[in-house]
Amino acid sequence: MPTGARRLNFLSIGECMVELSGGGEGLFRMGFAGDTLNTAWYARARLGDNWDVAYFTAVGDDRYSRAMMEFLDGNGISTRLVQVIPGKRPGLYIIHQEAGDRHFTYWRDNSAARLLADDAEHLLNATSKADAIYFSGITLAILKSARREELLAVLEGARQKGALVAFDPNIRPALWPDVSAMRQVITEAASISSIVLPTFNDDAPFFGDRSPEQTVSRYLAAGAGEVVVKNGPNPVHVSTGHISVFLSVEEVDQVVDATGAGDAFNGAYLAARLRGEEPETAARAASRMAAKVIRHQGALISDT
């Protein structure tokens, strides 16, 4: 980076949780993960040294929150904007295997991350300095209604001032009071976003989309500038309103673990777009990243 050049800022907003996996003979391995953290991880891997990647969340003042912060900082994801809330704790989930598939049990009702948007001034200051901001439907779902609206208003302001705002609906109906509220908020979030990164099989049951083209059309009509529809092993649909293209994804003979594949796609796609690559080129790079991730155990891999 040339001397005196300004560092650019990528900000990911959401919840990082304590993860317990394994479980053989009652023994579990502890780690840290979350959809918006996973995306920040892969964006960090593909952005240059002129980018600072930071995570915006809230944690407690316990040992596991401190370990989480050390993990993030140790892997190049800045915690300078993380809020520490005394007496709170991070959320927790356990991964267990059943019938050859992974199942998740969560404890997050009282997690510190649910308060991440409570300090309006801190939120505004953090987003005002960001060149790119990423958030998800999970980010929105864990917040109280008033704080959710505050976050969306701040993000809309950031986009109007020139920041790239990216959103993955990442639909999790169990986190929402009802499906109607979920659809309304997700549509509102898309309306203030530069890029929307949905997954067709997640969206279709709740929005009635019969094809990825309908998913694209719905988000473009809401106000999104660019839509990239992920669809498992099927082609990715990329549209900006001016271009619309389907791109085949890399075939994977054996899927080891699909956890985090969509998040990895998002991180690689956003990094490529922020480096100035065209949507089609970015989607191809993102598909390769997702294919690499599903060949490994866990959402976060270091071989990127």
Side-chain angles (χ1 to χ4, degrees):
M1 183 173 63
T3 302
R6 183 178 76 86
R7 286 181 64 81
L8 300 169
N9 294 296
F10 181 103
L11 182 66
S12 188
I13 303 175
E15 180 182 31
C16 179
M17 304 180 72
V18 176
E19 175 191 89
L20 297 180
S21 61
E25 299 181 355
L27 300 175
F28 289 87
R29 180 178 65 253
M30 189 183 81
F32 303 103
D35 65 332
T36 50
L37 167 62
N38 302 342
T39 293
W41 179 280
Y42 293 102
R44 170 68 284 165
R46 292 299 177 90
L47 288 171
D49 292 339
N50 60 320
W51 280 90
D52 175 73
V53 175
Y55 199 55
F56 186 98
T57 191
V59 300
D61 55 356
D62 60 298
R63 68 177 62 188
Y64 300 108
S65 293
R66 290 193 296 272
M68 182 186 294
M69 300 270 275
E70 291 171 0
F71 172 77
L72 296 176
D73 281 324
N75 285 281
I77 299 173
S78 173
T79 61
R80 59 187 170 78
L81 298 173
V82 173
Q83 304 160 85
V84 177
I85 302 177
K88 285 292 185 178
R89 302 287 184 269
L92 166 72
Y93 68 96
I94 294 178
I95 302 172
H96 56 279
Q97 297 284 345
E98 184 178 316
D101 199 3
R102 288 159 58 97
H103 298 265
F104 301 81
T105 303
Y106 293 91
W107 292 266
R108 72 194 323 166
D109 288 350
N110 295 308
S111 74
R114 288 183 173 272
L115 306 178
L116 66 84
D118 279 22
D119 187 335
E121 183 178 0
H122 180 60
L123 175 63
L124 181 60
N125 288 338
T127 54
S128 67
K129 296 178 175 64
D131 299 281
I133 305 170
Y134 176 77
F135 70 115
S136 78
I138 294 177
T139 308
L140 298 172
I142 65 173
L143 302 178
K144 293 179 180 179
S145 178
R147 300 283 73 77
R148 185 186 300 145
E149 291 303 315
E150 176 72 22
L151 174 59
L152 290 174
V154 167
L155 294 177
E156 181 178 20
R159 183 185 180 188
Q160 290 173 349
K161 292 176 182 176
L164 181 146
V165 176
F167 171 62
D168 184 339
N170 210 349
I171 292 175
R172 298 293 185 269
L175 294 176
W176 293 91
D178 57 70
V179 171
S180 177
M182 179 183 74
R183 287 195 294 254
Q184 179 181 344
V185 173
I186 285 173
T187 301
E188 184 180 355
S191 76
I192 58 94
S193 297
S194 317
I195 300 176
V196 179
L197 298 145
T199 298
F200 176 66
N201 287 336
D202 287 352
D203 274 49
F206 300 101
F207 287 95
D209 302 336
R210 294 188 296 274
S211 67
E213 291 97 325
Q214 288 192 347
T215 305
V216 164
S217 296
R218 176 168 52 81
Y219 282 122
L220 288 177
E226 180 172 321
V227 182
V228 185
V229 181
K230 307 180 291 288
N231 195 12
N234 302 304
V236 175
H237 189 186
V238 182
S239 180
T240 64
H242 302 293
I243 64 152
S244 184
V245 62
F246 280 91
L247 302 170
S248 297
V249 301
E250 182 176 330
E251 292 186 13
V252 177
D253 293 333
Q254 183 176 5
V255 176
V256 175
D257 185 354
T259 305
D263 304 328
F265 180 102
N266 294 348
Y269 184 86
L270 293 174
R273 294 292 283 128
L274 291 167
R275 294 196 309 266
E277 296 177 16
E278 294 298 319
E280 183 173 347
T281 304
R284 292 189 188 282
S287 293
R288 290 193 295 271
M289 177 68 84
K292 181 179 291 188
V293 168
I294 64 177
R295 293 186 175 101
H296 295 77
Q297 285 286 352
L300 305 178
I301 65 172
S302 56
D303 179 20
T304 56

